[in-house]
Coordinates of all heavy atoms in Angstrom, one line a residue:
L1618 N 66.7 286.8 -113.9 CA 66.4 286.5 -115.3 C 66.3 287.9 -116.0 O 66.7 288.0 -117.2 CB 65.1 285.7 -115.5 CG 65.1 284.3 -115.0 CD1 63.7 283.7 -115.1 CD2 66.1 283.5 -115.8
G1619 N 65.7 288.9 -115.4 CA 65.6 290.2 -116.0 C 66.9 290.8 -116.2 O 67.1 291.5 -117.2
M1620 N 67.8 290.6 -115.3 CA 69.2 291.2 -115.5 C 69.9 290.7 -116.7 O 70.4 291.5 -117.5 CB 70.0 290.9 -114.2 CG 71.5 291.1 -114.4 SD 71.9 292.8 -114.4 CE 73.7 292.7 -114.8
W1621 N 69.8 289.4 -117.0 CA 70.4 288.8 -118.1 C 69.6 288.8 -119.4 O 70.1 288.5 -120.5 CB 70.9 287.4 -117.8 CG 71.9 287.5 -116.7 CD1 71.7 287.0 -115.4 CD2 73.2 288.0 -116.7 NE1 72.9 287.3 -114.6 CE2 73.8 287.9 -115.4 CE3 74.0 288.6 -117.7 CZ2 75.1 288.3 -115.1 CZ3 75.3 289.0 -117.4 CH2 75.8 288.9 -116.1
G1622 N 68.3 289.0 -119.2 CA 67.4 289.1 -120.3 C 67.2 290.5 -120.9 O 66.5 290.7 -121.9
T1623 N 67.8 291.4 -120.3 CA 67.8 292.8 -120.7 C 69.2 293.2 -121.2 O 70.1 292.9 -120.5 CB 67.3 293.8 -119.5 OG1 66.1 293.2 -119.0 CG2 67.1 295.2 -120.0
P1624 N 69.3 294.0 -122.3 CA 70.6 294.4 -122.8 C 71.3 295.4 -121.9 O 71.4 296.6 -122.2 CB 70.3 294.9 -124.2 CG 68.9 295.4 -124.1 CD 68.2 294.5 -123.2
I1625 N 71.8 294.9 -120.7 CA 72.5 295.8 -119.8 C 74.0 295.6 -120.0 O 74.8 296.5 -120.1 CB 72.1 295.5 -118.3 CG1 70.6 295.7 -118.2 CG2 72.9 296.3 -117.4 CD1 70.1 295.2 -116.8
A1626 N 74.5 294.3 -120.0 CA 75.9 294.0 -120.1 C 76.2 293.5 -121.5 O 77.4 293.4 -121.8 CB 76.3 293.0 -119.0
W1627 N 75.2 293.2 -122.3 CA 75.5 292.7 -123.6 C 74.8 293.5 -124.7 O 73.8 294.2 -124.4 CB 75.1 291.2 -123.7 CG 73.7 290.9 -123.2 CD1 73.4 290.5 -121.9 CD2 72.5 291.0 -123.9 NE1 72.1 290.4 -121.8 CE2 71.5 290.6 -123.0 CE3 72.1 291.3 -125.2 CZ2 70.1 290.5 -123.4 CZ3 70.8 291.2 -125.6 CH2 69.8 290.9 -124.7
D1628 N 75.3 293.5 -125.9 CA 74.7 294.3 -127.0 C 73.7 293.5 -127.7 O 74.0 292.4 -128.2 CB 75.9 294.7 -127.9 CG 75.4 295.6 -129.0 OD1 74.3 296.1 -129.0 OD2 76.2 295.8 -130.0
M1629 N 72.5 294.0 -127.9 CA 71.4 293.3 -128.5 C 71.6 293.2 -130.0 O 70.9 292.4 -130.7 CB 70.1 294.1 -128.2 CG 68.8 293.2 -128.5 SD 67.3 293.9 -127.8 CE 67.2 295.5 -128.8
S1630 N 72.5 294.0 -130.6 CA 72.7 294.0 -132.1 C 73.2 292.7 -132.6 O 73.2 292.4 -133.8 CB 73.6 295.1 -132.5 OG 74.9 295.0 -132.0
V1631 N 73.7 291.8 -131.7 CA 74.3 290.5 -132.1 C 73.2 289.6 -132.5 O 73.4 288.5 -133.1 CB 75.2 289.9 -131.0 CG1 76.3 290.8 -130.7 CG2 74.3 289.6 -129.8
F1632 N 71.9 289.9 -132.2 CA 70.8 289.0 -132.5 C 70.2 289.4 -133.8 O 70.4 290.6 -134.3 CB 69.7 289.1 -131.4 CG 70.2 288.5 -130.1 CD1 70.8 289.2 -129.1 CD2 70.1 287.1 -129.8 CE1 71.2 288.7 -127.9 CE2 70.5 286.5 -128.6 CZ 71.1 287.3 -127.7
S1633 N 69.4 288.5 -134.4 CA 68.7 288.8 -135.6 C 67.6 289.9 -135.3 O 67.2 290.1 -134.2 CB 68.0 287.5 -136.1 OG 67.0 287.1 -135.3
E1634 N 67.0 290.4 -136.4 CA 66.0 291.5 -136.2 C 64.7 290.9 -135.6 O 64.1 291.5 -134.7 CB 65.6 292.1 -137.6 CG 66.8 292.9 -138.1 CD 66.3 293.6 -139.4 OE1 65.1 293.5 -139.8 OE2 67.2 294.3 -140.0

Side-chain angles (χ1 to χ4, degrees):
L1618 294 174
M1620 166 70 189
W1621 297 109
T1623 307
I1625 300 170
W1627 48 270
D1628 183 13
M1629 196 168 65
S1630 63
V1631 300
F1632 293 94
S1633 65
E1634 292 185 3

